[in-house]
Amino acid sequence: MESETNYWVYFAFMLPFGLIVFTGGLLLYTKKFVGLLVLDSFMPGKPSLAQTYIGAWLLLMAPSEFVLQSDIDALIVPYSFVLLGCLALGLLGCFWMPKFLQPKWMKEGDKLEARGKDPFTKRFYNGES
């Protein structure tokens, strides 16, 4: 009896997981759910924003075997480039997120933090906890 990978189970697991991660990243970009900013304290970049691209990569990985089985080069090659791009942006964003990929509200917060005018720094200088 040969064991064969069940790609439908893989698809059924990866699609909802990727959707959750991608949706969380989109909600952070639109500033509807900023609880994900906790992730930024663990790595030097912006992993909270990078999860948008990692989620897109997971969403695209779900049907990847079905795309490969189609044997259509005009579909496989662009699909592979998009997969690689999402993975590269996701991994790069964990260590360094380019400014043009950051939302405006986050860039403004970084500027305030650099000048020492953000609410946390003001409370710290006033001796409050």
Side-chain angles (χ1 to χ4, degrees):
M1 179 178 211
E2 292 180 32
S3 66
E4 185 178 311
T5 304
N6 189 343
Y7 292 109
W8 286 106
V9 173
Y10 178 75
F11 178 79
F13 174 75
M14 292 293 276
L15 190 71
F17 185 63
L19 192 60
I20 289 169
V21 174
F22 182 71
T23 304
L26 283 181
L27 289 175
L28 179 70
Y29 263 102
T30 58
K31 203 178 177 181
K32 301 231 187 297
F33 180 67
V34 293
L36 297 173
L37 289 174
V38 171
L39 297 173
D40 290 348
S41 61
F42 296 111
M43 296 189 87
K46 303 271 187 202
S48 56
L49 294 177
Q51 85 168 3
T52 307
Y53 303 102
I54 293 172
W57 177 71
L58 290 171
L59 277 172
L60 290 170
M61 279 300 291
S64 64
E65 183 59 32
F66 305 115
V67 172
L68 290 175
Q69 288 177 0
S70 71
D71 284 335
I72 303 171
D73 288 339
L75 178 65
I76 294 172
V77 173
Y79 190 82
S80 300
F81 281 127
V82 172
L83 264 175
L84 181 65
C86 287
L87 179 63
L89 281 173
L91 293 177
L92 176 71
C94 288
F95 299 102
W96 173 75
M97 182 62 77
K99 286 288 185 187
F100 70 90
L101 292 176
Q102 295 179 21
K104 184 178 179 181
W105 64 269
M106 192 174 275
K107 286 188 249 184
E108 291 170 357
D110 287 345
K111 287 178 187 175
L112 287 175
E113 189 176 332
R115 288 193 306 251
K117 295 186 178 183
D118 61 311
F120 175 77
T121 308
K122 287 181 180 178
R123 283 192 316 241
F124 180 75
Y125 282 142
N126 290 335
E128 302 171 17
S129 6

